[in-house]
Amino acid sequence: MAAKKLRRARLSQELCERLSRHQITTCQDFLCLSLLELMKVTGQSYYDVQNLLCKVSRACAPKMQTAYEMKLRKSVNPSLAFLSTTLHSLDEVLQGGVPCGSLTELTSPPGCGKTQFCIMMSVLATLPVSMGGLDGAVIYIDTESAFSAERLIEIAGNRFPTYFDSDEKLFCMTRSIHLYRELTCGSVLKRIMSLEEEIISKKVKLIIIDSVASVVRKEFDTKLQGNLAERSNFLARGASVLKYLAEEFSIPVILTNQITTSLSNGLAIQADLVSPADDLSLSEGASSSGKRESSCVTAALGNTWSHSVNTRLILQYHDLPTRQLLVAKSPVAPFSAFFYTIEKSGLVLQGLRNPKTGTRN
């Protein structure tokens, strides 16, 4: 909440412009200054600055709400609670789809369809509410230069041929997808920090970052001293701002991650690297020294990041062309597994697999 822009804290435009000249643009920037510093930059008295501090503090303080109020708001307007994936069995398990107001992560080996899923969700967010969409714009931050406008149009036309029955409708949809290519951690963080006013002005209903791991793993070698702490700080700051944007505007945020392999002697794998919701597979073998080694394929970015995301979906290979989607972490859904293929219309489920019996429903 401290990332909220001062313009939205109901300060006068003149005062906001004056503070902006001193690079004070958010509630956090303002509240981190001493009374004397604020008196100097605002030109106001001690008493007036104290009033300003109270006003800004109230503006960014989390609002208390009861469980009843949360339930009532979602039941009155279900479209504010979830963005449907149109993968009906998955939506049923997630109680509606990708949740609004929180962070959803997709992690997988390369080629399993993370970007395909993101492009498909971009189309869905632009649809009218009557069709399960959010009737809004999308901010798509591409760190791997993987986004394809041609694929966006192909998915839209094949998934909803009746709705997108003309080039005009397709082009109108593409104008609602705002693409940013950010190739460094600094530029990604700067873009995230600047999104608040853009969300309001462009009526944004979905934020996608594809992928977080791409820039982080290129810039931070965790074997070097100090890099792990610096990486954790970057991820914590980014997750904090994204959570604020998701909650403040009640929109879904979708992030993609990569996988990594962790090795250890025996089964004691470093806790910061693995959590139960990270596991993709586990295998054992003998090392060159003859000792038993275990290797665990996990979601990248560590356990700290794993705690930052609210929902984690894992995509993995099965038998080509079939792949598998796992609901590995969710506040509302049990562990579930689905088989899917990637078609011209995007991801298509092939049936639900019961994790207890191993059979398809």
Side-chain angles (χ1 to χ4, degrees):
M1 299 293 282
K4 178 181 281 189
K5 296 292 185 181
L6 285 171
R7 294 181 185 278
R8 300 189 60 238
R10 298 186 178 179
L11 301 186
S12 68
Q13 184 176 347
E14 180 184 353
L15 179 57
C16 288
E17 289 174 354
R18 179 167 186 161
L19 291 169
S20 181
R21 289 196 289 271
H22 294 274
Q23 285 75 52
I24 303 168
T25 59
T26 67
C27 292
Q28 182 176 8
D29 297 336
F30 188 90
L31 296 172
C32 284
L33 298 177
S34 67
L35 283 167
L36 289 177
E37 289 171 324
L38 288 172
M39 289 170 64
K40 182 177 179 180
V41 297
T42 62
Q44 298 192 19
S45 67
Y46 178 84
Y47 176 77
D48 289 337
V49 166
Q50 280 190 315
N51 286 337
L52 284 174
L53 279 170
C54 290
K55 189 173 185 178
V56 173
S57 296
R58 284 195 297 267
C60 69
K63 304 296 188 295
M64 187 280 294
Q65 60 180 330
T66 65
Y68 173 77
E69 289 169 335
M70 292 176 65
K71 177 66 176 174
L72 184 64
R73 190 179 70 228
K74 290 181 179 179
S75 61
V76 169
N77 195 345
S79 67
L80 295 177
F82 297 96
L83 171 58
S84 169
T85 66
T86 66
L87 305 172
H88 299 299
S89 296
L90 177 61
D91 284 347
E92 285 181 11
V93 168
L94 294 175
Q95 298 187 16
V98 174
C100 296
S102 66
L103 310 187
T104 297
E105 181 202 75
L106 275 112
T107 188
S108 80
C112 282
K114 295 189 298 293
T115 299
Q116 303 295 317
F117 185 91
C118 290
I119 292 174
M120 185 177 81
M121 295 306 295
S122 297
V123 174
L124 297 173
T126 67
L127 294 175
V129 174
S130 60
M131 293 181 64
L134 297 176
D135 195 20
V138 178
I139 289 177
Y140 195 117
I141 300 175
D142 180 13
T143 68
E144 296 183 320
S145 300
F147 181 87
S148 167
E150 291 77 16
R151 181 62 174 141
L152 176 77
I153 292 171
E154 182 181 44
I155 289 176
N158 284 278
R159 202 167 195 90
F160 302 99
T162 305
Y163 182 74
F164 292 109
D165 56 359
S166 67
D167 288 344
E168 183 181 352
K169 278 191 174 180
L170 284 169
F171 292 144
C172 182
M173 178 272 297
T174 61
R175 285 194 288 269
S176 297
I177 314 294
H178 305 280
L179 180 70
Y180 297 100
R181 285 210 162 96
E182 309 292 357
L183 304 179
T184 66
C185 289
S187 63
V188 169
L189 189 59
K190 186 177 179 181
R191 178 63 60 190
I192 292 171
M193 298 288 287
S194 69
L195 288 182
E196 186 172 12
E197 292 181 358
E198 195 168 353
I199 290 171
I200 297 169
S201 63
K202 294 178 178 175
K203 298 181 179 178
V204 172
K205 296 296 183 179
L206 172 65
I207 297 173
I208 294 173
I209 303 181
D210 182 25
S211 83
V212 176
S214 176
V215 289
V216 171
R217 298 177 85 182
K218 280 188 292 188
E219 293 191 29
F220 296 106
D221 182 354
T222 54
K223 294 178 182 177
L224 299 178
Q225 188 175 6
N227 265 12
L228 182 59
E230 192 176 346
R231 185 187 78 165
S232 296
N233 181 56
F234 165 78
L235 290 171
R237 287 182 65 195
S240 176
V241 175
L242 289 169
K243 277 180 177 286
Y244 159 70
L245 295 174
E247 292 171 6
E248 180 72 7
F249 299 102
S250 190
I251 60 176
V253 175
I254 298 175
L255 314 159
T256 68
N257 194 359
Q258 299 173 353
I259 62 166
T260 186
T261 303
S262 301
L263 299 175
S264 68
N265 293 326
L267 294 175
I269 298 173
Q270 186 179 341
D272 189 49
L273 295 176
V274 181
S275 74
D278 297 333
D279 268 350
L280 288 163
S281 63
L282 183 67
S283 61
E284 292 187 10
S287 66
S288 56
S289 61
K291 294 182 179 180
R292 299 282 301 172
E293 272 192 353
S294 64
S295 62
C296 186
V297 181
T298 74
L301 304 183
N303 213 25
T304 301
W305 171 256
S306 179
H307 287 300
S308 297
V309 298
N310 305 96
T311 303
R312 167 169 279 161
L313 306 178
I314 296 175
L315 310 181
Q316 58 188 16
Y317 288 106
H318 184 62
D319 294 324
L320 290 178
T322 305
R323 298 168 174 86
Q324 191 176 45
L325 186 155
L326 308 177
V327 179
K329 176 185 177 183
S330 168
V332 299
F335 177 86
S336 305
F338 305 87
F339 292 104
Y340 69 95
T341 56
I342 300 175
E343 312 289 350
K344 287 185 176 181
S345 59
L347 273 65
V348 177
L349 289 188
Q350 300 302 302
L352 176 64
R353 180 177 180 177
N354 188 317
K356 294 182 179 179
T357 65
T359 60
R360 297 190 192 186
N361 294 334

